[in-house]
Amino acid sequence: SKKKMLCVVRQALVTRRRSCLNLQRVCALSSLVDMEIESPKFDDFPLFKAEPRPEELLGSRKSRKMRIDGRIPSVLYGVGADGERDRRLLSIATKDLARELRVKQVTIENTLYRLHIAGDPINQTSLVLPRQIQVRAGHGNVVSCNFLRFSPGSIVGFPIRFIQSELNTYLKSTGYVFRVQSYVKCKCNTYNLPRFIDVSVAQGQKNHVFRLEDLQIPPGLSLIKPKGPGVVAVIQGGN
């Protein structure tokens, strides 16, 4: 009958989806072996504690009440190192995220965290990167923050830091560094993520151009080169 045929089709789709998820888990785990990446020690990473957020608490009115109670709505998404990819609705303590923002500032989105989900017997702790942090204009209050599961091969943006300016005589007199790019993206085959990607400005006079090739890329990271000339900064100033 038609009803029996629909049941067979649904079962086939469920079986196919499970097979695809198992294959993704195997590929993700095998990539760790192929790249000889040392498994991370979870205790080395700072911790965020999260709680599951039921669907009844969805909506702007419920989220507003949640913020009044000292918690921030959040979503966990992406594919982890174990192939886990379920989208989870969560909440985290406002004070925890505010503390990390004060300490990490622009580097918070390239800092690995342990995300512990209370009462989750299957996937209690994941390695994640904070994403889509929204701050209320004029007040500085955090409105929401999501978390992206991290796995080797993930592409992460890093802020560029200009170092050794004190060694450049022109910069010490009338020159300054004009930024063209503030961030660069790298493919990460390591769990040891740097806070910044550095470029030395110890050398160079007026109109000197710093390019992507001048960036000091740490081991385990591969630069994702954008389209264009690849200019990072230019030294400008008076004569």
Side-chain angles (χ1 to χ4, degrees):
S1 65
K2 186 175 181 181
K3 185 178 293 185
K4 185 180 292 185
M5 180 64 69
L6 287 173
C7 291
V8 172
V9 172
R10 287 196 189 99
Q11 186 62 39
L13 290 173
V14 170
T15 303
R16 181 179 178 183
R17 182 175 181 273
R18 287 175 178 171
S19 299
C20 291
L21 288 175
N22 289 333
L23 179 60
Q24 289 170 346
R25 289 188 175 96
V26 170
C27 291
L29 291 173
S30 64
S31 66
L32 295 177
V33 177
D34 294 340
M35 292 184 289
E36 298 182 352
I37 297 174
E38 184 179 354
S39 297
K41 297 179 181 178
F42 274 67
D43 293 341
D44 293 342
F45 301 102
L47 175 67
F48 271 122
K49 294 181 179 180
E51 295 180 1
R53 178 164 53 108
E55 293 190 2
E56 305 88 73
L57 296 181
L58 292 178
S60 58
R61 186 173 298 178
K62 297 294 179 64
S63 296
R64 192 179 303 114
K65 184 180 185 304
M66 185 184 303
R67 296 185 189 101
I68 294 174
D69 295 337
R71 300 195 67 80
I72 299 173
S74 178
V75 176
L76 172 64
Y77 66 101
V79 182
D82 59 351
E84 182 65 37
R85 64 183 303 125
D86 290 343
R87 182 174 177 270
R88 304 291 303 275
L89 299 176
L90 307 171
S91 71
I92 60 173
T94 305
K95 62 179 182 180
D96 292 344
L97 181 59
R99 181 190 65 244
E100 290 301 310
L101 275 171
R102 285 194 301 270
V103 175
K104 300 296 194 308
Q105 299 182 9
V106 297
T107 67
I108 190 171
E109 291 199 352
N110 56 284
T111 300
L112 275 177
Y113 289 89
R114 289 175 292 153
L115 183 68
H116 179 83
I117 304 175
D120 187 347
I122 299 176
N123 185 24
Q124 284 192 328
T125 306
S126 302
L127 277 181
V128 299
L129 293 165
R131 283 291 181 270
Q132 294 96 32
I133 299 175
Q134 296 185 18
V135 179
R136 192 183 302 279
H139 297 276
N141 299 329
V142 182
V143 177
S144 65
C145 172
N146 298 330
F147 293 97
L148 173 66
R149 293 184 181 93
F150 177 84
S151 61
S154 296
I155 296 177
V156 180
F158 295 90
I160 299 173
R161 181 173 61 180
F162 299 97
I163 62 173
Q164 299 179 324
S165 61
E166 70 279 2
L167 302 179
N168 190 312
T169 56
Y170 182 70
L171 292 178
K172 289 173 67 175
S173 57
T174 60
Y176 63 93
V177 176
F178 177 78
R179 290 174 174 264
V180 178
Q181 295 189 48
S182 297
Y183 289 82
V184 289
K185 291 184 178 181
C186 294
K187 183 176 181 181
C188 302
N189 292 326
T190 178
Y191 291 96
N192 186 23
L193 304 187
R195 293 190 65 192
F196 298 94
I197 298 295
D198 292 332
V199 54
S200 174
V201 294
Q203 303 293 327
Q205 299 296 311
K206 185 177 180 180
N207 296 328
H208 181 85
V209 177
F210 296 98
R211 302 184 182 276
L212 294 173
E213 293 76 13
D214 299 314
L215 296 175
Q216 301 174 6
I217 306 298
L221 269 60
S222 301
L223 181 66
I224 305 296
K225 293 186 178 181
K227 295 180 180 179
V231 175
V232 175
V234 180
I235 292 181
Q236 294 186 350
N239 295 326

